[in-house]
């Protein structure tokens, strides 16, 4: 017999909006960067605020373990 539901039926996820955003950004990193880089990238949310027009402004810092990786995310962004 299954136990009681952990969350109310109206709850879609237990993740915070910040976690959802970080996962989406990580997904895009996996799609656009060389294989070895995304697994070594750490994400830090620098800005999470409402903009003047009501839009959500998000800035993340990407921390990489090797100096040689520093330019790779910027180069990939320029190709897209």
């Amino acid at each position: 017999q299954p136990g009681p539901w952990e969350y109310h039926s109206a709850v879609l996820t237990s993740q915070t909006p910040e976690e959802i955003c970080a996962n989406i950004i990580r997904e895009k990193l996996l799609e656009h960067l060389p294989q070895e880089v995304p697994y070594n990238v750490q994400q830090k949310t620098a800005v999470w605020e409402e903009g003047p027009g009501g839009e959500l402004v998000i800035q993340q810092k990407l921390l990489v373990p090797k100096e040689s990786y520093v330019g790779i995310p910027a180069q990939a962004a320029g190709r897209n």
Side-chain angles (χ1 to χ4, degrees):
Q1 170 104 351
W5 289 95
E6 187 172 346
Y7 300 102
H8 187 274
S9 63
V11 175
L12 299 177
T13 180
S14 61
Q15 293 180 315
T16 66
E18 291 85 355
E19 290 172 323
I20 293 169
C21 175
N23 286 333
I24 291 170
I25 292 171
R26 179 160 293 280
E27 174 188 349
K28 298 305 176 188
L29 290 171
L30 288 167
E31 288 177 10
H32 297 289
L33 295 178
Q35 284 183 325
E36 72 276 5
V37 176
Y39 297 101
N40 294 320
V41 173
Q42 292 182 9
Q43 300 163 249
K44 301 288 183 196
T45 301
V47 175
W48 184 279
E49 62 190 19
E50 188 174 323
E55 72 279 7
L56 181 58
V57 177
I58 302 167
Q59 291 180 359
Q60 280 204 330
K61 293 184 179 200
L62 304 177
L63 308 172
V64 293
K66 293 184 181 178
E67 188 69 29
S68 61
Y69 290 167
V70 170
I72 294 174
Q75 292 167 1
R79 289 193 307 257
N80 297 321

